[in-house]
Amino acid sequence: MSWLSVPFVLGSKPELSAQNAQHILDFFHFASPIVLIIFFLAAFTAHSIATASTDTTTTPRKEQTGPGGKPLPSPKKPGKKDVLDFSPARKLLFIWLSVGTAATFVGNAVVVILHALVDRKNHWWCGEAVAIYVVASVFVYTLFLISLIDTKPSPTAAHFSTWLVALILEFVLLGASISLYTTEHREPKAGSPNGGQLQQGVTNWEAIEILIDIFRVIFLLGLALSYCLFITLRAWKQHRGNRKQAGTPGETTSLLNGHAVENGTVQGHNNDDSQDAGWVRPTKVPSKTWWEYIRGYSLFFPYLWPAKSRPLQITVVICFFLVMLARVVNLLVPLQVGRITDILSEGEGQYSGVPWGEICLYILYRLLQGSNGVLGALRSTLWVPVSQYSYQELSTASFEHVHGLSLDFHLGKKTGEVLSALSKGSSINTFLEQVTFSVLPMLIDLGVAIGYFLIFFDAYYALVVAIVTFAYLYLTIRLAQWRAEIRREMVNSSRQEDAVKNDSMMSYETVKYFNAEDYEFNRYRTAVKDYQRAEYKVLISLNIMNVSQNLVFTLGLMVICFIAAYQVTIGQRKVGRFVTLLTYMAQLQGPLNFFGTFYRSIQSAMINSERMLELFKEKPTVVDEPAAQPLPSCQGEIRFNDVKFAYDPRKPALDGINFRCAPGTTTALVGESGGGKSTVFRLLFRFYNLTGGSIQIDSHDVKDITIDSFRRHIGVVPQDTVLFNESLMYNLKYANPSATDEEVFAACRAASIHEKILGFPDGYNARVGERGLKLSGGEKQRVAIARTIIKNPRIILLDEATAALDSETEQHIQTALEKLSQGRTTLVIAHRLSTITTADQILVLHAGQVAESGTHEELLALKGRYASMWRKQIRAQKAAEEAKFHSDRAEQLRKEIQGDESTSQSEDERNTKSHGERREAASGSGDPQDHHIQSTLNGTKRSASPSLETSPKRRKHEEAGTKKSSQEGEYGIVDRQFYPPEMTNERCAQYNANEIERPMETLTKAQETTEHERDSVDVNHAVVHWFKCDLRTYDNKALHLASKLAKSNGVPLICLHIISPQDYKAHMTSPVRVDFLLRTLEVLKEDLAKINIPLYVETVEKRKTIPDRIFELCERWGASHLYCNIEYEVDELRREALMTRKGLEQGIAFNAVHDTCVVAPGELFSGSGTQYAVYSPWYRAWVSHIHQHPHQLDLFDPPSTNPSSSLQEFASIFSRPIPPAPPNKSLTDEEKTRFSSMWPPGEHEAHSRLSKFLQEKAPGYKETRNFPAANSTAVLSVHFAAGTLSARTAVFRARAANSTAKLDGGSEGIKGWISELAWRDFYKHVLVHWPYVCMNKPFKPEYTNIEWDYDEELFSKWRQGRTGYPFIDAAMRQLNHMGYMHNRARMAVASFLAKDLLIDWRRGERYFMEHLIDGDFASNNGGWGFSASTGVDPQPYFRIFNPTLQGERFDAEGEYIRRWVPELKGVRGKAIHDPYERGAEAEARRRGYPRVCVAHKGARDKALARYKEGLKRDTA
């Protein structure tokens, strides 16, 4: 007998027999965990419902219904009941007591295990009931502990009641245990129902067990008593606090009492800053219980249940039946597998037949099972119309609900947020299907599994399955709750991204007005980054959750497999049962896995639809009164009777306003901003409820009239008309969809817009763009007037309908408004008083009251507010007119002065013009035989100005000119095959004096004089577009016009390109550029072929025969219309002028259009009416011109697709290859490969480079553009030169990427890049106005007299990049290798050649053209003229770049130099810029790098002396 048995033996005889005590113990051991878990879940559920939030309102309200008659809840945010949590110290006490309670069961488990190990010889085992009790209790009490830690507040009444029940159960178990152990009893023995060794009293093991049980009871008692004590103390403190509060009302009253409004606030909800509107993103996870979710989302159930369709209701019942049938099949499948296994395993290897029937039955079950089985597929098919019904009801209801909300909601909303909430909220549509066909079946499957294992196996299996199920579900829920905040953050970030995107798109004009593109781009980029950060957290947490779930289930499966395998080996169960078990467990994993997916899905759906739920709770503030009646007819009488209204109760907007509008009269509302004019309109249109007074229509109070019937009689023409992005006809018929086309046409004629619409390419079917942005302000207003006429209302509201228009457009609109107002009651808000002088009455509003009223004349006579406003406007108008008069007068005087100077010219000077015209025919004509004419003209004695009269000095200059002419031919500056010697300075002066017709003027004259004749040419069988340096399909004006003409006449478009070897030679086109053009033609040919347009490419050897050859091809193809874009070089302009006239002789209309420049040459003039010769004022004029004429940046669409018959008709052209490069412009195979990899061809590559530049490099372009090693430039010059990208497109895209619509504002990088693009336009304008720069003449003719050196050795070193100046050499080697050079380097090497080497800058200009892939004559000539100080707007000649300092400044680290001058790769520091003078001589010598070819200081002094001598002056 143990030492603990004495007290019990000495005690009284127990009342219970050992057998009864054992039965009680067994029963309560089994029942206790089950009772506790069930009771706790029930108590927890009841407590959640009891403490859930309730929807409360401050005042009783009539129940309001939503679309379809469904009830809408109160807009008041749910409020939590006042449930207080325990302090951290007290809560910690509960947690430790709960830990102690759970630990007692762990102690029981340890005792059982140790006892079994010690008495294993006696086969001692505690028995199934005790094992189930201990393990299940550990699980149950662990669950209680977790709920204490997880839930807030805790502990709750649910915990307290559970502890009381547990205390009762443990008292029973303790009493039964003592009764059993203190009497004669047998210890339990494994495998023996009669028990093992007989004991007379309490053993040591049993004493330990009882002691642990006593501790458990103490812990439970401590939990219950602590809860009672703390609750009592809290109640007592609250009671004392309430008494104190009631005794000092003055201290608890708010200092700022709220101002109540009789009809509620204007916004329709209480001004509670703590409550967010329904469309506002939640910033944190709301602490909602599951019951609050269910009750809140019950709002959607009327939309989800098919109440309107009996067949769909029957379908739902059938689907439920199929779901239950599927549950039965899920149970039958593992049973059938086990049955088949048992049959096959019987007979110990003897053949007993194949169980065909059983197998077929199994196959049948599998055919029916699962979502992909027959039952699942049938259920899914039947559910489709139910799902569609739910989606239709919910989506249309939400759309109708938002439209039904009042103006206060829409003024306060963020459109992007509301749209996002509506789109995300649609996920609730899937909620019903998931609950019905996923959650309920899953719970049924789990319950059936536990019951099946309990009945057909034993309690061990049921316990393990139950623990695994609960552990899996809890882990899933817990991890999902942990992930909820992360998930919500991701959803909010996604919504923020959508909201930023939508708000920015909806506010497109505002963004442009405030130059906020950069801000919007950064805002959106930040939103995307925030979303991706949140998404990363979600994905990581998802992986953690999946691994944890799999671990729990795998551990449970392992335990069950061990138990089953043991029972099979000892013969307790058959093999079939083991197979059934494995099959069922594998099948059970499906619902558990789905629960994880479903929980995440339902949580996501609830989060996503949360804001939609709140949106549904928003209620309109302006609704029909219950007794409101429709307005049968309307005469148009309006009365405002002491009307009061306030947006904010503290500041009234209208304060007792009174007026009457007689039917058919016009009433104008004027006054300063904030006087209440717009408020009158809003109240009249029933956007708000009045706070006092009444508004009457034909003696009917508007509150007694239904809103819809009243608004049908009102037409509104707002200041800013918003149109739908549909056709004009759609927008016009929006006012009355039943209107006929004739009624629409009549309304448009009345609004003076009909003829304008007919002039659109698509007429009434033309789309107006987002919010009507494709129409001008005047056009939109006329459309609004026509739409109002179509509506035919009796009352017209004109809300500053002409305020945003110019005076001329305003006059047209006023005429249309007068027609609209005839016979109708009209209310007008106007700031321009001149527009309402004919009104029947004018109301002057001030501070929400009618300060004055009367006609125009009456109000002027009063000499009050109206008269003061009138005088101010008259003075302003007069001041504007006077300023315009003085400006016009000054311009007239300026022209008169210029005219006097012109008439003072000598007769001899005017006669020079005739000679000049003949000279123009020879200069730059491209014909060698005209050389003698030019020589004769060079000897003329006449001059264009007194400064150039014949003199000894002049003869000296002529002799020098003859020498220069010889040098120019000898050194290749001028190609004598095509061009005669350069023109004289006199000739240049004649151009400058406008005495000689410029080639552009010749072309313009030819176009203007033949315009009518060309327009009269009928379109024949085709239209031809001649590609030149415009090798693109997008934004190509001539191509667009040709395509448009071809399409409108139903004929094909043919494209043409001529390869001219002589043009290549005459224009010094580099071989690498020719190669790029040919490769681009290959891409262009493919692009055109995709839309059935043939591209014909032919080589024409003689440039003079190109016009005739093109006309021959046009005749062959039956084309009578030929289009091309103008090129501004002299030869091309003359050729196109010739073709304009010559084409008509052959019945061909030749149309050359401006497209190369953003602003065509001849559009910009200085204040004196002359062409700009300085870039800065020209650029300001260029920017201003585009701002004033925004259509300059309108892009042209690609050509339309040719008829499919073109493929066969022009098959020979489609199959014709692109000719090879002319022999004089061909590359080696190595060069072709190198340049092909460096310079991909085609417009697609151009657009890709442009996009990459604008996204990645443009923001920092200003800071990095001058550093060749930085790779920060766009490198698009090759595409501008080839025409694969238009300058217009580049400016358009750059402006779109900028933070402002102004070209000279916003991002410094983008602004600077646009100004660089403008330089290309500037140089072409210069080329057109001063064409002699195209004839080997400097822009400043006097610079012709500078004496240049023609040192071939120095020129060779410059070309090869061996001058001894590393920065210069790197640049030249880059040019020779890539056919390209950084712009900063171009200026440095050009200045070095002209001023350090004193070599004729035109030799460098030619070398560049013959080697650059982006060679463009105008830009190249302008750049060389700038660097040599001989061109337009150049640097002063005394500004001479120091080549060493250029390298130090723009390649400080030497990266650029090391890349292109490998001899200096090993040189470090500043020595890289001057290795021989800075300590790197040995390295430079060893690697073969040369010394400097000229000393910069000496060369600079020499250059200054030459310039001064040539110019005969000391200034630039």
Side-chain angles (χ1 to χ4, degrees), residues 687-705:
F687 279 145
Y688 295 106
N689 287 323
L690 306 181
T691 57
S694 66
I695 300 175
Q696 292 181 328
I697 302 297
D698 294 346
S699 301
H700 299 285
D701 194 313
V702 292
K703 292 195 299 184
D704 300 329
I705 306 170

Side-chain angles (χ1 to χ4, degrees), residues 1244-1259:
H1244 310 295
E1245 171 67 17
H1247 283 273
S1248 175
R1249 285 196 178 196
L1250 176 60
S1251 298
K1252 184 176 181 180
F1253 169 74
L1254 292 175
Q1255 292 172 4
E1256 300 177 4
K1257 302 179 182 179

Side-chain angles (χ1 to χ4, degrees), residues 787-942:
R787 186 161 62 177
T788 306
I789 294 174
I790 294 170
K791 184 177 181 180
N792 192 26
R794 290 299 305 159
I795 300 173
I796 302 293
L797 306 182
L798 304 179
D799 188 1
E800 301 185 65
T802 61
L805 306 177
D806 57 83
S807 299
E808 183 179 353
T809 306
E810 181 183 25
Q811 292 177 1
H812 295 297
I813 298 299
Q814 283 295 336
T815 302
L817 290 175
E818 289 174 4
K819 296 180 182 179
L820 171 64
S821 302
Q822 290 176 0
R824 297 180 171 92
T825 304
T826 305
L827 271 76
V828 183
I829 293 178
H831 283 142
R832 295 182 188 174
L833 302 184
S834 59
T835 63
I836 48 96
T837 56
T838 60
D840 297 293
Q841 70 170 336
I842 301 173
L843 305 178
V844 182
L845 300 186
H846 175 69
Q849 294 181 331
V850 178
E852 298 173 5
S853 65
T855 63
H856 174 69
E857 292 77 11
E858 293 170 348
L859 291 175
L860 288 180
L862 286 176
K863 298 182 180 180
R865 292 183 178 276
Y866 182 83
S868 175
M869 295 164 59
W870 177 262
R871 286 194 300 271
K872 289 178 182 177
Q873 291 195 8
I874 291 299
R875 283 199 299 268
Q877 184 176 350
K878 285 182 178 180
E881 291 174 352
E882 289 176 3
K884 187 177 187 303
F885 170 78
H886 291 305
S887 175
D888 294 343
R889 180 60 180 161
E891 182 68 22
Q892 183 180 357
L893 291 173
R894 193 181 298 112
K895 290 181 179 178
E896 289 176 357
I897 294 172
Q898 291 176 349
D900 291 341
E901 292 176 352
S902 177
T903 56
S904 67
Q905 290 178 335
S906 66
E907 184 68 25
D908 187 53
E909 290 170 342
R910 290 196 295 273
N911 289 341
T912 306
K913 183 174 181 180
S914 62
H915 292 280
E917 291 172 349
R918 292 197 302 273
R919 183 176 300 160
E920 177 68 15
S923 178
S925 65
D927 296 341
Q929 58 266 37
D930 290 338
H931 185 185
H932 67 283
I933 301 176
Q934 180 66 43
S935 300
T936 302
L937 292 173
N938 282 342
T940 181
K941 301 295 183 182
R942 295 194 174 120

Side-chain angles (χ1 to χ4, degrees), residues 22 25-27 29-30 126-134 460:
Q22 186 64 55
L25 281 176
D26 289 344
F27 175 79
H29 279 150
F30 277 117
C126 65
E128 184 181 51
V130 175
I132 295 295
Y133 167 72
V134 171
Y460 289 118

Side-chain angles (χ1 to χ4, degrees), residues 540-557:
I540 292 297
S541 62
L542 175 62
N543 290 328
I544 294 174
M545 182 176 181
N546 290 337
V547 171
S548 302
Q549 289 171 332
N550 189 58
L551 179 63
V552 168
F553 188 84
T554 303
L555 290 175
L557 180 63

